[in-house]
Amino acid sequence: NAGVTQTPKFRVLKTGQSMTLLCAQDMNHEYMYWYRQDPGMGLRLIHYSVGEGTTAKGEVPDGYNVSRLKKQNFLLGLESAAPSQTSVYFCASSYSGLAAEQYFGPGTRLTVT
Amino acid sequence: GQNIDQPTEMTATEGAIVQINCTYQTSGFNGLFWYQQHAGEAPTFLSYNVLDGLEEKGRFSSFLSRSKGYSYLLLKELQMKDSASYLCAVRVPAGGSYIPTFGRGTSLIVHP
């Protein structure tokens, strides 16, 4: 089992460019999450999904969109990147909303210049 | 809103015991988690408390008091490899489901 994987690992964008981050899990988990982590700010939830075809906003959703067309994949899109979106992005999954544990991917380091 | 507080940084000596506190004020509660995160890596699960009391797992223990909105993570026999950030997260109700909300993390530095 690969667990949770993220693509790409690193990316540099210019302001205004768009990109999609891909998260994949092979554990048949229902819940998937996208977080961003900035120095001194902890993990902040961007969007999450409670099952295939569903998405919901988290704490900091502005400037991001997501899709969950297949249960194993959760995509995070930036339509027009801004320097404020420079961050490390983590995807996570859990078996359910009441599961004892989230499993995290290795992270994507994004720099917007 | 949700408020989860942890000290920003702590230092301790190898072989010692350290206690990392977490206090929370949230709109609902359905469990508290502790994660460990080494620099440049993903968080990894350490412990989960949903009822009051102490949960022990090897050198690590976690305590919860729901009435006080308080938890701590206790690390015994500290090793250099325990230098990491420790994240406290509380699971709160959101739109018919439950979602973890994280504190800002405590950076623990273990020195010889």
Side-chain angles (χ1 to χ4, degrees), chain A residues 19-23 32-36 44-70 73-79 85 89-92:
Chain A
M19 78 164 294
T20 300
L21 282 69
L22 171 63
C23 176
M32 296 186 75
Y33 316 78
W34 275 108
Y35 293 92
R36 61 177 290 172
R44 291 185 292 169
L45 184 64
I46 304 171
H47 287 280
Y48 64 98
S49 168
V50 303
E52 181 179 311
T54 75
T55 63
K57 294 180 180 179
E59 180 186 355
V60 288
D62 293 343
Y64 306 94
N65 56 75
V66 288
S67 65
R68 183 103 182 265
L69 298 179
K70 293 183 179 180
N73 295 337
F74 195 29
L75 279 63
L76 178 71
L78 287 73
E79 290 187 347
Q85 293 177 304
Y89 292 86
F90 287 101
C91 175

Side-chain angles (χ1 to χ4, degrees), chain B residues 6-11 20 37 82-87 104-110:
Chain B
Q6 308 177 230
T8 302
E9 187 174 293
M10 299 182 70
T11 59
I20 303 174
Q37 185 178 24
D82 296 330
S83 292
S85 184
Y86 291 85
L87 310 177
R104 298 188 175 197
T106 298
S107 177
L108 175 65
I109 301 168
V110 180

